[in-house]
Amino acid sequence: MLLRTRTALKGSRTGGLRAVAVIGCVLLVVNLVEAVLPGAFPAWMRVEMLFIAAMMAALAAASFRAHRNSPAGRR
């Protein structure tokens, strides 16, 4: 994800931001699914997964917002 963020900052905003948003959404879904599996993980790990899912939701929202506000996203 760091490489995609660097690509976005270097000027290829649409490709880099889209990749960051997709990665964030995938990690959001995976962490939510893992957190709700019954008996698979201890409680502290479930809390950690939910926290990471919240961070990925914020990352995806920020990426979508930045893409929408970019000149290439206003087609």
Side-chain angles (χ1 to χ4, degrees):
M1 223 159 53
L2 185 59
L3 292 174
R4 296 296 181 182
T5 306
R6 286 182 186 166
T7 303
L9 291 174
K10 285 184 180 179
S12 177
R13 287 186 66 130
T14 57
L17 286 174
R18 186 176 302 128
V20 169
V22 168
I23 292 168
C25 289
V26 169
L27 287 174
L28 168 69
V29 170
V30 168
N31 278 294
L32 286 176
V33 168
E34 286 178 340
V36 298
L37 288 174
F41 301 102
W44 66 267
M45 194 177 287
R46 291 177 192 271
V47 171
E48 182 180 343
M49 289 177 194
L50 291 173
F51 180 72
I52 291 171
M55 289 185 350
M56 291 301 110
L59 174 79
S63 297
F64 286 131
R65 189 176 310 118
H67 178 68
R68 186 181 60 216
N69 292 337
S70 71
R74 293 183 188 159
R75 296 180 194 170

